[in-house]
Amino acid sequence: MMKLACADITINIVYGLFVFISTFGMDLLFIFLSYVLILHSVMAIASREECLKALNTCVSHILAVLAFYVPMIGVSMVHRFGKNVPRYIHVLLSNIYLFVPPVLNPLIYSAKTKEIRRAIVHMFHSIKM
């Protein structure tokens, strides 16, 4: 509607960016605070092996969150500011957002198992170019 009226839409762009950054910023802040509290509790554990096991789980969770948030931020930014970007870029990023997190999630959590980790490493070593 504002484009039809030939009005300046800079305030809409700034407001949209503010909402985007504040939404993701609050999410990331609360995730960061929860992991700080988790790490504080884990460091109070007496046994070193239990502490390392809990930290290993935290690393997996952080990687899973990043596998979800990084493509989401990319899609949101291209949708918001990529008006002159070719259509196939929008399609490519939306497909990455839809398919990459579900594919990476089992890999992230199963890589903690020694047998699966060995099989993955063996698979990548056998694909030498």
Side-chain angles (χ1 to χ4, degrees), residues 55-102:
L55 288 176
N56 190 13
T57 304
C58 286
V59 168
S60 297
H61 290 184
I62 290 171
L63 289 176
V65 167
L66 285 176
F68 177 72
Y69 271 105
V70 170
M72 182 190 303
I73 291 170
V75 166
S76 298
M77 290 306 234
V78 167
H79 176 72
R80 178 54 117 174
F81 299 108
K83 301 300 181 197
N84 298 327
V85 175
R87 183 172 169 84
Y88 67 88
I89 298 295
H90 291 276
V91 172
L92 178 69
L93 285 176
S94 64
N95 284 331
I96 288 172
Y97 172 66
L98 287 174
F99 294 119
V100 168

Side-chain angles (χ1 to χ4, degrees), residues 35 57 60-65 104-113:
Y35 276 109
T57 304
S60 297
H61 290 184
I62 290 171
L63 289 176
V65 167
L104 286 181
N105 205 16
L107 291 175
I108 289 169
Y109 285 111
S110 65
K112 294 188 320 185
T113 308

Side-chain angles (χ1 to χ4, degrees), residues 7-89:
D8 186 23
I9 59 169
T10 305
I11 191 72
N12 277 357
I13 292 172
V14 171
Y15 177 70
L17 183 62
F18 171 75
V19 169
F20 173 76
I21 290 173
S22 64
T23 302
F24 284 117
M26 293 298 284
D27 283 349
L28 293 177
L29 175 71
F30 288 133
I31 290 169
F32 176 75
L33 287 176
S34 67
Y35 276 109
V36 166
L37 293 173
I38 289 169
L39 289 175
H40 183 267
S41 299
V42 166
M43 294 304 165
I45 296 174
S47 172
R48 181 164 171 81
E49 291 83 21
E50 291 173 353
C51 183
L52 289 176
K53 189 173 181 179
L55 288 176
N56 190 13
T57 304
C58 286
V59 168
S60 297
H61 290 184
I62 290 171
L63 289 176
V65 167
L66 285 176
F68 177 72
Y69 271 105
V70 170
M72 182 190 303
I73 291 170
V75 166
S76 298
M77 290 306 234
V78 167
H79 176 72
R80 178 54 117 174
F81 299 108
K83 301 300 181 197
N84 298 327
V85 175
R87 183 172 169 84
Y88 67 88
I89 298 295

Side-chain angles (χ1 to χ4, degrees), residues 56 109-121:
N56 190 13
Y109 285 111
S110 65
K112 294 188 320 185
T113 308
K114 288 181 184 179
E115 294 82 17
I116 296 175
R117 191 174 351 158
R118 280 190 210 130
I120 291 172
V121 169

